[in-house]
Amino acid sequence: MHLLFEPGFFSSGPVHTATVIGALTAVVSAVVGVFTVARSQSFAGHALTDVATTGGSGAFLLGLSPLTGFIAGGVIGGGAMEMIGVERARSRDVATGIVLGAATGLSALFLYLDATRSATTGATQQILFGSIFTVDPSLVPAVVVLSAATLLVVGVIYRPLLLSSVSAELAAARGISLRVVGLLFMLGLAVAVGLASIAIGSILSTALLIGPAATALRVTRSLRTAIVTACLLGVSTTWLGILFAYDSVSWDPSSQGLPVSFFIVAIVFLLYLASGLPFVRRLSGRRPGGERPAPAAAPRGEDVPPVGATV
């Protein structure tokens, strides 16, 4: 056991907090991430990481919890992107780019002020790259509530969200308000990015949001299966990252260990690469070229196109 789990791992309070927050964050990121990839809104997810950086650094400057800033910044930025843009992808990308540019400028200002006016060291490191072992246990209830609320919202709008992701025109013809569905989804995306930011940092949160979801969509044949697979991949990746980061302290006696974010991002990257191997695609029923044989009966609108296809 000591070869895998270093002494004190299971009794460590910071590890307990990290595993709970990490699991909740991974599940929310996976569920929201599957729809983000299916809706071709990965760019919006990336933009919200910069918005979260702005919120987190601003909150730190005001003496507030970074989580408050991550969530508030993400919600404001996500709402702005959806309200400025319209249903067409080109206008949505323009709105995303505008918000991204403004957020990046504010991030630079707030991080500069944090570094020059605050006596606390490591603010920039914590905001950009996370520090899940130092998260205050008192944040766990807030993370639970935010996670439950986000999953509830996604569950309520699941069918209209799925239909609008596949065909916005068909959804509009059926009387679905694309603006309301899009706004609710962007708010959920903002919360997911904010939660991921406290685990692996705002600048790396896209990896946890997009990586497991994209991998799951490459190796599964339906949206529901992809969501479950993405959740399992996300939680497993996060827990392995926590374990490796804890064990890394003993790898080199002169070091303080490697960051959790490095291991999580590395595992996510390797899993995505592995999902593209020909034998993996054959096992999952998909063809190496990205196509898959058409099933005899598609499961009632739940089947999703391969990653990269226009939805």
Side-chain angles (χ1 to χ4, degrees), residues 277-293:
L277 295 176
F279 79 93
V280 175
R281 304 301 292 273
R282 285 194 295 268
L283 289 174
S284 63
R286 292 181 180 268
R287 296 174 181 173
E291 300 178 355
R292 68 179 189 274

Side-chain angles (χ1 to χ4, degrees), residues 26-105:
V27 169
V28 173
S29 297
V31 173
V32 175
V34 167
F35 283 104
T36 302
V37 176
R39 291 168 66 86
S40 300
Q41 286 189 281
S42 297
F43 178 46
H46 170 71
L48 283 179
T49 64
D50 291 273
V51 178
T53 302
T54 303
S57 55
F60 194 92
L61 186 65
L62 296 174
L64 303 175
S65 168
L67 176 61
T68 303
F70 289 145
I71 299 296
V75 168
I76 294 172
M81 282 189 282
E82 188 63 30
M83 295 305 295
I84 293 175
V86 293
E87 289 82 1
R88 283 183 276 186
R90 178 180 297 179
S91 298
R92 188 173 60 202
D93 284 347
V94 170
T96 300
I98 292 173
V99 174
L100 173 61
T104 303

Side-chain angles (χ1 to χ4, degrees), residues 203-246:
I203 200 171
L204 299 175
S205 57
T206 309
L208 197 57
L209 177 73
I210 303 300
T215 301
L217 285 169
R218 291 182 95 179
V219 300
T220 58
R221 296 172 61 86
S222 71
L223 189 69
R224 289 178 179 174
T225 306
I227 290 175
V228 174
T229 303
C231 290
L232 293 175
L233 290 176
V235 173
S236 300
T237 297
T238 303
W239 283 355
L240 280 175
I242 293 171
L243 174 61
F244 290 156
Y246 185 90

Side-chain angles (χ1 to χ4, degrees), residues 257-283:
L258 299 175
V260 177
S261 55
F262 162 73
F263 289 108
I264 293 178
V265 172
I267 296 171
V268 166
F269 178 69
L270 292 176
L271 286 174
Y272 183 75
L273 289 182
S275 68
L277 295 176
F279 79 93
V280 175
R281 304 301 292 273
R282 285 194 295 268
L283 289 174

